[in-house]
Amino acid sequence: MRSISYGMRIIKDYNLKELNTFGIEAKAKFFVEINNEKDIKELIASLEFQQNEKLFLGGGSNVLFTQDFDGIVILNKVKGIEIIKEDNRNVWIKGFGGENWHEFVMFTLNKKLWGLENLSLIPGTVGAAPMQNIGAYGAELKNVLENVEAYDVKTGEKVIFEKEECECGYRTSIFKTSAKGKYFISAILVRLSKNINVNVSYKVLENYLKENNIKAETPKDISDVVIAIRTSKLPDPKILGNAGSFFKNAFVEDKKFGELMSKFPDLPFFKEDEKVKIPAGWLIEQCKWKGKRLGNVGVHEKQALVLVNYGGASGAQVKELSDKIIASVFEKFGIKLEREVNLI
Ligand SMILES: Cc1cc2nc3c(=O)[nH]c(=O)nc-3n(C[C@H](O)[C@H](O)[C@H](O)COP(=O)(O)OP(=O)(O)OC[C@H]3O[C@@H](n4cnc5c(N)ncnc54)[C@H](O)[C@@H]3O)c2cc1C
């Protein structure tokens, strides 16, 4: 172990099992926890950082370790929430990267601000949220994102990515594509609304409100419903290792959609812009994977999109299961599913 500053220690051969929601055993050659912006700058200047492959980790809820990590894992614990400015209609709030995402959402809801309520209870950190432009229940981070503050890991220079520069798309952004591994996301700025702005574009949410006769008057009302639906549907990683949806939904062109409809008339679909979205969970279920278990790994019994670790599974076993699912969906539908989870 080497201390590079007061409070910041670089540890060798660190076990990452408690730091990923899949609960996979894997070791990092070096490990360090950062707690403030000073730590970031000192870390970037250190030899261990400069000479090794780097992996920034928040809540570990969107990673699958398929092997030990032969580099330095940096656990982001840089916390803080600041109100930057406000006008008659909006409030701009900055969240530091190591802040827990749900606590950040709760902070905004307690101030009766609209914009993040549909994204309640997503595990992980604020800093990872722009990575895949987190989304749920008809909302995406990009709807409220103003900018992303990041450090260039080569130069140590701080840069601001304006929303348009983040290239946010469905479960993706520039940080997952062309800028992958090049930046440490230190904070985000969101613009939230003071005025009522209910988003029930997602049918499940709308139906729940109707069936339970709930009139959403505050963003907290929507958040409560989102939390109720999520807890009834998704496995708790503390009980059953998982990383939420393992696969992305599929998007197909009109021609392919026509072919699929003639073969599978029950095919569920959603028209989005020029393309047609097909729920990956349905495709996986049709291939009879839902609830299937192969040794220590399996497909969740209620959610075909979620792969689980029943205990003691290796990342390679989870990956192998995902390969099999991708192959059988491709064979039956000619659609190549993409993984949402980051393979390490
Ligand atoms: C039960 C469950 C439900 C989920 N539901 C949803 C959902 O509804 N919608 C959704 O979008 N996602 C969902 N997820 C996935 C996950 O919660 C999100 O992707 C979340 O944003 C990941 O945050 P994290 O801090 O855990 O990231 P990590 O898993 O720690 O990291 C994910 C990736 O981001 C990188 N990264 C992390 N922090 C930084 C940083 N500061 N700078 C640069 N790179 C960084 C990592 O290197 C890695 O590649 C779910 C996961 C679980 C377990």
Side-chain angles (χ1 to χ4, degrees):
M1 182 159 69
R2 187 174 92 83
S3 293
I4 56 174
S5 75
Y6 179 76
M8 189 172 53
R9 292 192 175 87
I10 295 184
I11 306 170
K12 271 189 160 177
D13 291 332
Y14 196 85
N15 187 343
L16 302 166
K17 188 175 176 194
E18 300 299 322
L19 298 181
N20 70 98
T21 60
F22 255 122
I24 299 286
E25 288 271 2
K27 264 195 205 154
K29 183 163 93 174
F30 295 112
F31 171 83
V32 67
E33 182 179 309
I34 50 173
N35 288 286
N36 51 56
E37 294 229 12
K38 195 168 144 270
D39 283 352
I40 302 171
K41 288 183 190 142
E42 280 183 33
L43 177 69
I44 292 177
S46 74
L47 280 182
E48 284 87 345
F49 186 85
Q50 288 175 4
Q51 293 178 348
N52 284 284
E53 207 185 321
K54 308 140 200 28
L55 177 71
F56 294 102
L57 211 53
S61 64
N62 205 15
V63 288
L64 175 67
F65 289 104
T66 57
Q67 56 191 341
D68 288 341
F69 185 69
D70 188 26
I72 183 163
V73 167
I74 304 107
L75 183 66
N76 183 14
K77 292 274 187 180
V78 186
K79 291 178 190 276
I81 302 176
E82 289 172 9
I83 296 178
I84 300 299
K85 62 174 182 174
E86 66 179 291
D87 62 18
N88 293 340
R89 283 183 296 169
N90 298 114
V91 180
W92 283 257
I93 300 188
K94 176 173 173 174
F96 286 80
E99 191 66 50
N100 173 275
W101 172 260
H102 183 64
E103 280 166 25
F104 180 60
V105 173
M106 287 298 128
F107 176 92
T108 68
L109 301 184
N110 288 336
K111 301 233 166 301
K112 297 202 166 42
L113 296 171
W114 293 84
L116 294 180
E117 57 282 359
N118 295 40
L119 302 178
S120 297
L121 214 63
I122 297 180
T125 53
V126 165
M131 281 291 297
Q132 68 162 12
N133 174 34
I134 54 168
Y137 297 91
E140 284 180 306
L141 176 68
K142 74 171 186 191
N143 301 344
V144 293
L145 186 68
E146 288 281 285
N147 66 42
V148 170
E149 220 174 82
Y151 283 87
D152 183 318
V153 297
K154 265 208 175 130
T155 62
E157 195 191 338
K158 201 181 212 177
V159 284
I160 302 280
F161 285 84
E162 295 304 334
K163 178 204 183 123
E164 297 69 32
E165 294 172 309
C166 294
E167 297 173 13
C168 290
Y170 167 67
R171 300 296 187 274
T172 190
S173 75
I174 193 167
F175 305 106
K176 213 175 168 179
T177 53
S178 58
K180 190 175 173 187
K182 293 184 181 156
Y183 295 94
F184 165 64
I185 297 169
S186 51
I188 68 169
L189 182 69
V190 293
R191 176 162 60 110
L192 304 174
S193 170
K194 289 179 175 178
N195 301 323
I196 186 156
N197 189 11
V198 184
N199 171 0
V200 285
S201 56
Y202 199 78
K203 270 272 164 271
V204 177
L205 195 53
E206 191 190 11
N207 293 345
Y208 191 102
L209 287 165
K210 272 192 197 143
E211 282 159 20
N212 294 281
N213 214 5
I214 299 169
K215 195 168 175 291
E217 280 164 355
T218 68
K220 181 84 173 42
D221 295 336
I222 294 285
S223 167
D224 288 345
V225 172
V226 168
I227 290 172
I229 301 174
R230 289 185 72 99
T231 41
S232 72
K233 277 190 167 178
L234 288 167
D236 180 351
K238 288 193 195 94
I239 299 165
L240 193 58
N242 76 88
S245 301
F246 198 90
F247 302 99
K248 295 184 189 184
N249 287 315
F251 284 84
V252 295
E253 309 283 348
D254 273 348
K255 184 165 172 278
K256 174 76 185 165
F257 175 60
E259 286 164 20
L260 286 167
M261 271 316 258
S262 59
K263 261 175 114 177
F264 308 99
D266 296 339
L267 184 83
F269 65 91
F270 305 90
K271 294 248 176 196
E272 278 186 18
D273 303 324
E274 307 284 276
K275 289 198 167 184
V276 185
K277 181 168 98 178
I278 300 175
W282 186 87
L283 298 171
I284 296 167
E285 213 178 321
Q286 295 305 302
C287 295
K288 310 269 187 283
W289 281 104
K290 195 174 176 184
K292 220 177 214 179
R293 182 172 173 164
L294 300 181
N296 294 337
V297 296
V299 180
H300 191 253
E301 54 191 13
K302 286 194 202 159
Q303 275 293 339
L305 272 184
V306 178
L307 303 191
V308 297
N309 171 11
Y310 285 105
S314 69
Q317 285 169 324
V318 179
K319 176 173 180 294
E320 202 184 316
L321 172 63
S322 72
D323 286 338
K324 287 186 173 150
I325 293 170
I326 291 170
S328 57
V329 167
F330 188 74
E331 196 181 292
K332 190 170 171 91
F333 297 101
I335 292 176
K336 188 154 189 292
L337 289 183
E338 281 178 34
R339 295 181 184 90
E340 181 180 316
V341 170
N342 300 279
L343 297 194
I344 311 290

